[in-house]
Amino acid sequence: MKLIKLDAIDSTNDFLKALASKDELDNFTVVTAENQTKGKGQMGSKWESESGKNLIMSALVKDFLYNNEDVFNLSIITSLAVIETLKALDIPDLCIKWPNDIMSYNKKIGGILIENTLKSDGRIVSVVGIGLNVNQTNFEHLPNASSLSVIANKIFDKDILPALIVDKIKQKIELWETNSVDFWKQYFNTLFRKGVPMPFKNVAGQNFMGIIQGVSPTGKIQILLEDDSVSEFDIKEVQMLY
């Protein structure tokens, strides 16, 4: 694994995308930063991180995705890789809030942002951005956020995390063809608030009750509504109220 360590950058995803467009980078090249000034979440939301306290990383993944319909498979792999890494560190009560926020005790401790580029030869090159709250303890303006340190009541060595996570991603990519059904099951079984009635809000600002039933092959969440119909929602088309 080639590692590029930066002190401060606007976005590790943007930096790695720019680097990948100019050079033939090794697969699984990783960029980390101590501080990120323009961190992004899903659909342009902001990701805030206290300088030097957390894991900010982006990894290049090539030769896995070949079809736009399959891009969510990498979200499955990355989410499970992060969950398994944190389980090995004895972080309790872990789950995935659709599509790929990492939760512990109903608090968000991390997020994943995957950006895909379609090359002229048809290949899809992915930049996998991962942010994990590791040793940050002040979440005064983020009531739904927490960190590994707060949850486990100890300080972690964040520098060991990139290699651990990337190793898990590699393993799952190698096993994908024979284990994809099992990985999808693991993802669903780890979903936050699956199978229980809960309130949601749609893009029109209307609240409604529903039950998470699953996730479609393209990554849309499937929600059982009060009229017994099941509707699919894309990212940012629906918000969980919890």
Side-chain angles (χ1 to χ4, degrees):
M1 182 188 87
K2 181 180 180 181
L3 177 62
I4 301 168
K5 300 179 76 170
L6 305 173
D7 181 33
I9 192 69
D10 52 356
S11 161
T12 55
N13 264 28
D14 288 349
F15 180 88
L16 186 53
K17 279 192 295 182
L19 211 57
S21 70
K22 296 174 183 176
D23 299 313
E24 191 59 39
L25 290 183
D26 293 342
N27 204 5
F28 303 109
T29 293
V30 172
V31 174
T32 64
E34 293 300 304
N35 186 33
Q36 185 170 244
T37 58
K38 294 181 181 177
K40 295 178 293 183
Q42 292 287 353
M43 301 296 287
S45 61
K46 192 174 180 182
W47 174 268
E48 296 185 6
S49 176
E50 194 174 322
S51 180
K53 297 289 185 71
N54 303 319
L55 175 67
I56 301 165
M57 67 172 279
S58 296
L60 186 70
V61 176
K62 302 188 290 185
D63 306 321
F64 175 60
L65 298 175
Y66 296 93
N67 188 318
N68 278 329
E69 297 298 308
D70 296 332
V71 294
F72 197 72
N73 292 343
L74 187 53
S75 289
I76 300 284
I77 282 173
T78 306
S79 300
L80 293 178
V82 173
I83 290 285
E84 287 183 16
T85 300
L86 297 183
K87 279 183 178 177
L89 297 175
D90 296 322
I91 304 300
D93 198 31
L94 289 162
C95 59
I96 301 163
K97 179 173 171 282
W98 175 85
N100 44 29
D101 281 347
I102 307 302
M103 312 283 287
S104 174
Y105 291 129
N106 296 339
K107 297 283 190 179
K108 181 176 176 178
I109 57 173
I112 296 162
L113 176 65
I114 299 175
E115 298 181 276
N116 301 298
T117 301
L118 180 64
K119 297 294 186 179
S120 58
D121 60 4
R123 292 180 303 125
I124 296 174
V125 175
S126 305
V127 170
V128 178
I130 300 170
L132 272 179
N133 296 329
V134 181
N135 293 319
Q136 182 170 333
T137 56
N138 180 12
F139 296 97
E140 184 179 355
H141 302 297
L142 298 166
N144 292 324
S146 190
S147 69
L148 308 188
S149 183
V150 170
I151 289 163
N153 196 30
K154 67 178 184 179
I155 301 297
F156 288 86
D157 180 1
K158 65 182 176 61
D159 293 331
I160 68 170
L161 293 173
L164 295 176
I165 293 170
V166 169
D167 281 349
K168 294 286 186 185
I169 292 173
K170 284 183 182 178
Q171 289 169 18
K172 293 188 182 305
I173 284 176
E174 289 169 1
L175 294 170
W176 182 260
E177 281 196 21
T178 54
N179 291 71
S180 60
V181 173
D182 286 340
F183 290 152
W184 270 87
K185 285 180 182 176
Q186 288 174 34
Y187 176 84
F188 176 70
N189 289 336
T190 313
L191 272 184
F192 178 66
R193 297 283 175 90
K194 71 178 186 303
V196 296
M198 63 175 294
F200 297 86
K201 180 185 286 187
N202 63 22
V203 287
Q206 301 165 323
N207 292 356
F208 65 94
M209 293 296 295
I211 300 174
I212 295 173
Q213 297 289 288
V215 177
S216 78
T218 57
K220 293 184 178 183
I221 194 167
Q222 299 166 329
I223 300 175
L224 176 67
L225 304 178
E226 290 180 286
D227 63 1
D228 288 331
S229 66
V230 175
S231 288
E232 293 186 353
F233 298 87
D234 210 342
I235 297 168
K236 297 300 182 182
E237 288 183 348
V238 67
Q239 177 185 354
M240 296 182 202
L241 305 177
Y242 69 97

